[in-house]
């Protein structure tokens, strides 16, 4: 009982300090299967404690996000990321219609962010989206694109390279020093 009381008080405390329109719902959207996503749980808890109706796309009803007491409603939709984008857009539009009010769309992975940005003209019928260039999320999601964007804007960033062999990788590591992080592009 003590824990619930503390949580309830924390929610009231946050609600008094944060200015937001609680009548605007939010939809957490992801593409792909990764049921243990702490970022989604954190977003649901934070917004839910503030009194926002939070909806989420989940692959099943047993994921931590789907089980959160702060989640207003879950939409069960197991996506893989291999679907045709038009199929995903149609599914999101159907979810938007079921919510019944324009909701803030919160993509929780790169694939959902790309889909939202590249189909914002259609999705804006049901969702509130940031006004960003349609190609920006794709550039940010690409390690090379992000490095190029940082260089173009003069933003300091770690050295980035695209070695084509282990020997080239070791040569680059000797040049730039350790630690070295390897990522798929």
């Amino acid at each position: 009982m003590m824990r619930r009381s503390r949580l309830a008080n924390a929610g009231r405390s946050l609600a008094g300090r944060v200015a937001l329109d609680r009548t605007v719902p939010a939809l957490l959207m992801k593409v792909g299967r990764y049921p243990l996503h702490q970022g989604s749980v954190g977003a649901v808890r934070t917004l839910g404690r503030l009194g926002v109706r939070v909806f989420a796309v989940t692959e099943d009803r047993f994921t931590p996000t789907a089980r959160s007491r702060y989640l207003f409603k879950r939409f069960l939709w197991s996506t893989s990321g291999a679907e045709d984008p038009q199929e995903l857009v149609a599914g999101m539009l159907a979810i938007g219609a079921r919510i019944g009010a324009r909701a803030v769309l919160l993509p929780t992975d790169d694939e959902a962010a790309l889909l939202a940005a590249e189909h914002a003209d259609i999705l804006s019928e049901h969702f509130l989206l940031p006004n960003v260039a349609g190609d920006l999320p794709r550039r940010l999601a690409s390690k090379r694109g992000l490095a190029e964007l940082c260089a173009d804007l003069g933003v300091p960033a770690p050295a980035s390279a695209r070695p084509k062999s282990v020997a080239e990788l070791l040569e680059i590591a000797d040049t730039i020093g350790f630690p070295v992080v390897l990522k798929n592009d």
Side-chain angles (χ1 to χ4, degrees):
M1 266 326 195
M2 184 71 102
R3 178 173 159 80
R4 283 186 188 215
S5 176
R6 227 177 323 131
L7 288 175
N9 288 337
R12 281 194 289 280
S13 175
L14 280 173
R17 293 184 288 167
V18 176
L20 72 128
D21 185 347
R22 290 172 188 79
T23 65
V24 178
L27 172 67
L28 277 67
M29 175 64 191
K30 66 184 188 69
V31 176
R33 185 167 176 79
Y34 47 94
L36 301 176
H37 189 256
Q38 287 77 16
S40 295
V41 174
V44 169
R45 287 179 179 169
T46 300
L47 292 171
R49 285 179 182 161
L50 291 171
V52 174
R53 287 183 309 138
V54 184
F55 300 83
V57 172
T58 63
E59 50 266 282
D60 64 51
R61 60 190 179 108
F62 300 110
T63 67
T65 300
R67 302 296 301 170
S68 175
R69 67 176 160 202
Y70 296 103
L71 186 65
F72 185 78
K73 182 174 180 155
R74 65 180 171 255
F75 296 100
L76 299 180
W77 187 16
S78 185
T79 58
S80 67
E83 295 85 1
D84 180 89
Q86 296 307 318
E87 178 186 339
L88 294 170
V89 168
M92 290 176 68
L93 292 173
I95 289 171
R98 288 181 60 193
I99 291 172
R102 282 183 78 202
V104 173
L105 182 62
L106 299 172
T108 61
D109 63 12
D110 289 345
E111 291 83 1
L114 297 175
L115 188 74
E118 293 170 357
H119 297 89
D121 55 334
I122 299 166
L123 294 172
S124 64
E125 175 185 346
H126 290 289
F127 300 104
L128 298 168
L129 301 161
N131 186 16
V132 299
D135 69 331
L136 181 61
R138 189 166 293 281
R139 289 185 75 189
L140 295 173
S142 159
K143 306 308 179 228
R144 182 166 71 173
L146 179 58
E148 290 170 354
L149 185 60
C150 288
D152 291 348
L153 298 173
V155 174
S160 178
R162 298 188 68 195
K164 298 189 178 20
S165 67
V166 173
E168 191 178 342
L169 170 64
L170 294 173
E171 184 179 316
I172 291 168
D174 283 341
T175 304
I176 65 175
F178 288 90
V180 173
V181 177
L182 300 177
K183 294 274 201 176
N184 289 334
D185 192 24

